[in-house]
Amino acid sequence: MKMLVDLHTHTLASGHAYSTITENAQAAARKGLELLGIADHGPSLPGAPQLSYFGNMAVLPEEIYGVKILPGVEANIINHEGELDVPVCYLARLKLVLVGLHPGSYPGGTVEENTQAYIKAMENPYTDAMVHPGRIDFELDLERIAYASARLNVPAEINNSTLAVIRSKVKASKNCSLFARYAAKYKGPIILGSDAHYCDRVGDFSHALDLVREAGISEQQILNTSPERVLEYLSGRHQLRPNVA
Ligand SMILES: [Zn+2]
Ligand SMILES: [Zn+2]
């Protein structure tokens, strides 16, 4: 399976990542990627950029080193209602909106509250994909998340970094495997994300690909084998966005 798109990468602007957009694009080009999502953390995470960073992304070129750029955000879900830390007027200008739960931005809750927070965020018409359900920070009903992703046609991510982090490897990989099996069962759309915080990790899907094979997720489910499929999905999704004056 050849992956041509990485939708989940961070830059220096995230405050705890170490490469520029240009360095990430150069790394993406070297690895043969054709489309790159820039998804720095939303402003409620300590060290993350302020809203003006997201408001000014139109200054970026459409392509860097021949790689098409999708200016976006990894917005933080901030409460049990699934609200995001980026106002709609900013989301409306971005080409890629990922959503996730992160310590420091989300207060925590019961399994039901955490699961509902993700599902409600996925129901938000500005949300393009949900990320790292396999992370162990907040307990989730992974089966319901996989079912909701299929029902809403909002891609869920198999996150390579979650699988690669040694300190949480055993529990995180167990969670990720469980989620991947539910994703195979409900056949919703899937993206693989590197969640790169340094340029040499851009396009690294090695652990995620192993998991996908083990779980029996079909190639058809995975969007980022094709830039055209990703762009077609995003364009359809963005037609659901309400008009913002
Ligand atoms: Zn994240
Ligand atoms: Zn991330």
Short mmCIF file of all heavy atoms in Angstrom, two decimals, residues 8 10 41 74 100-102 131-132 135 159 195, ligand 1:
data_model
loop_
_atom_site.label_atom_id
_atom_site.label_comp_id
_atom_site.label_asym_id
_atom_site.label_seq_id
_atom_site.Cartn_x
_atom_site.Cartn_y
_atom_site.Cartn_z
N HIS A 8 -1.43 14.82 9.01
CA HIS A 8 -1.25 15.18 10.42
C HIS A 8 0.22 15.42 10.72
O HIS A 8 0.96 14.52 11.09
CB HIS A 8 -1.81 14.04 11.28
CG HIS A 8 -1.91 14.39 12.73
ND1 HIS A 8 -2.65 13.65 13.64
CD2 HIS A 8 -1.38 15.42 13.46
CE1 HIS A 8 -2.56 14.19 14.83
NE2 HIS A 8 -1.78 15.26 14.75
N HIS A 10 3.04 18.49 12.49
CA HIS A 10 3.21 19.70 13.33
C HIS A 10 4.47 20.45 12.93
O HIS A 10 5.43 19.86 12.44
CB HIS A 10 3.29 19.30 14.80
CG HIS A 10 2.01 18.74 15.31
ND1 HIS A 10 1.02 19.52 15.84
CD2 HIS A 10 1.53 17.47 15.34
CE1 HIS A 10 -0.01 18.77 16.19
NE2 HIS A 10 0.26 17.51 15.89
N HIS A 41 -1.38 22.57 16.75
CA HIS A 41 -2.39 22.49 17.81
C HIS A 41 -3.18 23.78 17.95
O HIS A 41 -2.63 24.88 17.80
CB HIS A 41 -1.71 22.19 19.15
CG HIS A 41 -1.15 20.80 19.23
ND1 HIS A 41 -1.94 19.69 19.37
CD2 HIS A 41 0.12 20.34 19.19
CE1 HIS A 41 -1.18 18.61 19.41
NE2 HIS A 41 0.08 18.97 19.30
N GLU A 74 -5.04 21.15 14.21
CA GLU A 74 -5.51 20.06 15.06
C GLU A 74 -6.21 20.74 16.24
O GLU A 74 -5.58 21.12 17.22
CB GLU A 74 -4.35 19.18 15.54
CG GLU A 74 -4.84 18.01 16.40
CD GLU A 74 -3.72 17.12 16.93
OE1 GLU A 74 -2.53 17.46 16.76
OE2 GLU A 74 -4.04 16.08 17.54
N GLY A 100 -9.22 16.51 18.26
CA GLY A 100 -8.74 15.50 19.20
C GLY A 100 -8.83 15.96 20.63
O GLY A 100 -9.00 17.15 20.92
N LEU A 101 -8.75 14.97 21.53
CA LEU A 101 -8.72 15.25 22.98
C LEU A 101 -7.26 15.29 23.42
O LEU A 101 -6.48 14.39 23.08
CB LEU A 101 -9.40 14.12 23.76
CG LEU A 101 -10.90 13.90 23.57
CD1 LEU A 101 -11.36 12.74 24.47
CD2 LEU A 101 -11.69 15.15 23.90
N HIS A 102 -6.91 16.33 24.18
CA HIS A 102 -5.54 16.45 24.68
C HIS A 102 -5.55 16.91 26.13
O HIS A 102 -6.26 17.85 26.48
CB HIS A 102 -4.76 17.50 23.86
CG HIS A 102 -4.63 17.15 22.42
ND1 HIS A 102 -5.50 17.60 21.46
CD2 HIS A 102 -3.72 16.38 21.78
CE1 HIS A 102 -5.14 17.10 20.28
NE2 HIS A 102 -4.08 16.37 20.45
N VAL A 131 -8.77 12.48 15.40
CA VAL A 131 -7.43 11.90 15.50
C VAL A 131 -7.22 11.12 16.81
O VAL A 131 -7.88 11.36 17.81
CB VAL A 131 -6.32 12.99 15.37
CG1 VAL A 131 -6.36 13.60 13.98
CG2 VAL A 131 -6.45 14.06 16.44
N HIS A 132 -6.28 10.24 16.71
CA HIS A 132 -5.77 9.35 17.77
C HIS A 132 -6.77 8.87 18.82
O HIS A 132 -6.56 9.07 20.02
CB HIS A 132 -4.50 9.93 18.43
CG HIS A 132 -4.54 11.35 18.92
ND1 HIS A 132 -5.41 11.78 19.88
CD2 HIS A 132 -3.77 12.42 18.60
CE1 HIS A 132 -5.18 13.05 20.14
NE2 HIS A 132 -4.21 13.47 19.35
N ARG A 135 -5.21 6.78 21.75
CA ARG A 135 -4.39 7.32 22.85
C ARG A 135 -5.03 7.01 24.19
O ARG A 135 -6.24 6.90 24.30
CB ARG A 135 -4.22 8.84 22.68
CG ARG A 135 -2.88 9.17 22.07
CD ARG A 135 -2.74 10.62 21.78
NE ARG A 135 -2.55 11.41 22.98
CZ ARG A 135 -1.98 12.62 22.98
NH1 ARG A 135 -1.55 13.14 21.85
NH2 ARG A 135 -1.85 13.29 24.10
N ASN A 159 -3.00 6.54 14.30
CA ASN A 159 -1.93 7.50 14.54
C ASN A 159 -0.60 6.79 14.76
O ASN A 159 -0.45 6.02 15.72
CB ASN A 159 -2.34 8.35 15.76
CG ASN A 159 -1.35 9.43 16.10
OD1 ASN A 159 -0.24 9.15 16.55
ND2 ASN A 159 -1.74 10.68 15.92
N ASP A 195 1.52 12.23 12.63
CA ASP A 195 1.58 13.11 13.80
C ASP A 195 3.04 13.53 14.05
O ASP A 195 3.50 13.61 15.18
CB ASP A 195 1.00 12.42 15.04
CG ASP A 195 0.50 13.38 16.10
OD1 ASP A 195 0.65 14.60 15.93
OD2 ASP A 195 -0.03 12.90 17.12
ZN ZN B 1 -3.00 15.24 19.07
#
